[in-house]
Amino acid sequence: QVQLVESGGGLVQAGGSLRLSCVASGRAFSSCGMGWFRQAPGKERELITAISWSGGTTFYESSVKGRFIISRDNAKNSVYLQMNSLGPEDTAVYYCAGQDTDLDIVPFRYDYWGQGTQVTVSS
């Protein structure tokens, strides 16, 4: 099994940036594709970005493409989400998630989730 712990959330003004981190433990991190979800108040959880285990392939949901960047450092068992040009619409709880796979592809189904970290963007 894999345990995921997110950090880096907080309160930021519109137009600002935050960098979220997710540290994995319990197994070889390089065998997991990774993604970030978010859940805004009153809305369903949605996948916003994902990355293959090698880091060679990424996916971005249209609302964050061009503003957010996903990356990973397998030597540190970590995945990151750089969030730029933040707006109030980005206010949500952000979750990292992992998928067990032998394929170096972007995952859309996930096996593990972190506890979430709150991001609040003031207008």
Side-chain angles (χ1 to χ4, degrees):
Q1 73 182 57
V2 173
Q3 294 81 45
L4 304 174
V5 180
E6 305 98 331
S7 63
L11 176 64
V12 64
Q13 295 184 15
S17 298
L18 285 174
R19 187 177 190 242
L20 306 184
S21 298
C22 176
V23 179
S25 63
R27 64 165 295 162
F29 183 68
S30 61
S31 67
C32 291
M34 300 295 296
W36 287 94
F37 289 78
R38 68 182 180 186
Q39 186 168 19
K43 297 184 179 180
E44 297 296 319
R45 184 180 64 178
E46 64 173 345
L47 177 69
I48 57 170
T49 184
I51 189 168
S52 62
W53 60 256
S54 73
T57 307
T58 57
F59 158 82
Y60 294 95
E61 196 273 329
S62 60
S63 66
V64 307
K65 191 172 185 178
R67 298 189 298 122
F68 292 8
I69 302 171
I70 189 171
S71 62
R72 65 189 298 160
D73 186 341
N74 289 345
K76 297 181 178 180
N77 291 344
S78 297
V79 63
Y80 307 99
L81 182 63
Q82 179 66 46
M83 309 166 67
N84 301 315
S85 300
L86 287 164
E89 69 275 11
D90 297 312
T91 294
V93 178
Y94 285 73
Y95 302 87
C96 72
Q99 181 199 48
D100 289 330
T101 182
D102 292 327
L103 300 176
D104 189 19
I105 60 174
V106 170
F108 290 94
R109 298 175 62 185
Y110 291 86
D111 302 308
Y112 310 102
W113 289 264
Q115 83 287 352
T117 185
Q118 175 71 49
V119 172
T120 302
V121 184
S122 61
S123 60

